[in-house]
Amino acid sequence: MPITEMPRSKEYLHRIRERLRDDKVSHCIFTAEYLASFSPSLDIDHDEAIAAGLLHDYCRNLKKNELLKQARIFRLPLSDSQIENPALLHGPVAAKICQKQFGISANVYEAIYWHTTGRPALGILGQALYVADFSEPTRKFPEAAKARQQLRVSGFASALLYVAEMKFTFCQMKKVIDPNTQAFLLWLRNQN
Ligand SMILES: [Fe+2]
Ligand SMILES: [Fe+2]
């Protein structure tokens, strides 16, 4: 089902276009479409899939100081890694702002909040957004194509574990490891 059939998609698109660069808007649209393409097999509501995909990077435009300021305004718990690398806060801050501005559902809120790191016991919409954000079709790195192939050939659980392994490896290379990234991977390994 196309994005435009989601009742609030026009409003969301209009708002993300006001905030984000064209390439980021395009990433959000592809994330929403890709997520919506496999969400029926996971019993995920179509409108929630579109909302999570379109809005997940709503605060990707904010500078480090602004993210820290917003995090303090919303009284978000801050980890050492988030203080060192405030870009990690773009999900949590977006979840809060979208909750306030659009009245998103609890599922969409959770998915947006945790889309960068994941967390143990993350709900299915959050897991699906985590995969779609990493591997939507315009992502250029080879691991994105591998994740899409895993999803097609081996199924969602296998693709999710692969994405979590890859994200953890990337974090190790950048030497920025949020504790939730590692905890999510360990949780997934125990599920499989
Ligand atoms: Fe993001
Ligand atoms: Fe993203």
Side-chain angles (χ1 to χ4, degrees):
M1 210 190 296
I3 280 187
T4 45
E5 293 193 11
M6 190 269 196
R8 299 189 70 181
S9 63
K10 265 196 189 155
E11 177 193 1
Y12 293 166
L13 278 166
H14 178 70
R15 298 300 289 274
I16 62 174
R17 284 193 176 112
E18 284 178 337
R19 298 174 65 93
L20 303 178
R21 288 193 328 238
D22 286 355
D23 59 330
K24 295 280 177 213
V25 171
S26 169
H27 161 66
C28 291
I29 293 171
F30 275 102
T31 301
E33 281 182 345
Y34 186 49
L35 175 48
S37 75
F38 64 84
S39 59
S41 64
L42 300 172
D43 273 335
I44 291 171
D45 179 80
H46 175 262
D47 291 357
E48 287 193 327
I50 299 291
L54 288 180
L55 297 174
H56 77 283
D57 277 340
Y58 198 67
C59 291
R60 201 72 186 88
N61 61 325
L62 298 185
K63 303 257 184 302
K64 291 176 182 178
N65 285 349
E66 185 61 22
L67 284 169
L68 284 168
K69 188 177 141 194
Q70 291 293 330
R72 292 195 177 106
I73 289 171
F74 287 117
R75 298 175 190 275
L76 295 174
L78 293 176
S79 66
D80 289 347
S81 59
Q82 287 169 327
I83 293 167
E84 270 173 49
N85 185 17
L88 286 168
L89 289 165
H90 79 272
V93 170
K96 288 286 179 192
I97 290 181
C98 290
Q99 185 182 48
K100 221 169 123 182
Q101 291 189 359
F102 305 116
I104 52 175
S105 71
N107 289 337
V108 174
Y109 174 90
E110 184 198 46
I112 294 175
Y113 195 110
W114 296 104
H115 81 266
T116 308
T117 61
R119 69 149 181 205
L122 181 63
I124 189 67
L125 179 63
Q127 295 179 21
L129 176 61
Y130 184 85
V131 170
D133 180 33
F134 181 90
S135 57
E136 53 92 348
T138 62
R139 290 290 209 195
K140 293 283 180 278
F141 45 91
E143 293 82 0
K146 178 89 192 289
R148 293 194 298 276
Q149 188 199 26
Q150 289 259 2
L151 183 60
R152 274 195 314 274
V153 176
S154 312
F156 179 74
S158 153
L160 175 61
L161 182 59
Y162 174 75
V163 172
E165 299 275 7
M166 288 306 104
K167 286 190 85 151
F168 184 63
T169 305
F170 294 167
C171 289
Q172 281 177 315
M173 288 182 327
K174 286 193 270 181
K175 297 191 168 50
V176 180
I177 300 179
D178 187 274
N180 288 301
T181 303
Q182 190 163 20
F184 186 46
L185 175 58
L186 296 176
W187 180 74
L188 288 173
R189 282 181 183 158
N190 284 331
Q191 306 286 304
N192 280 270

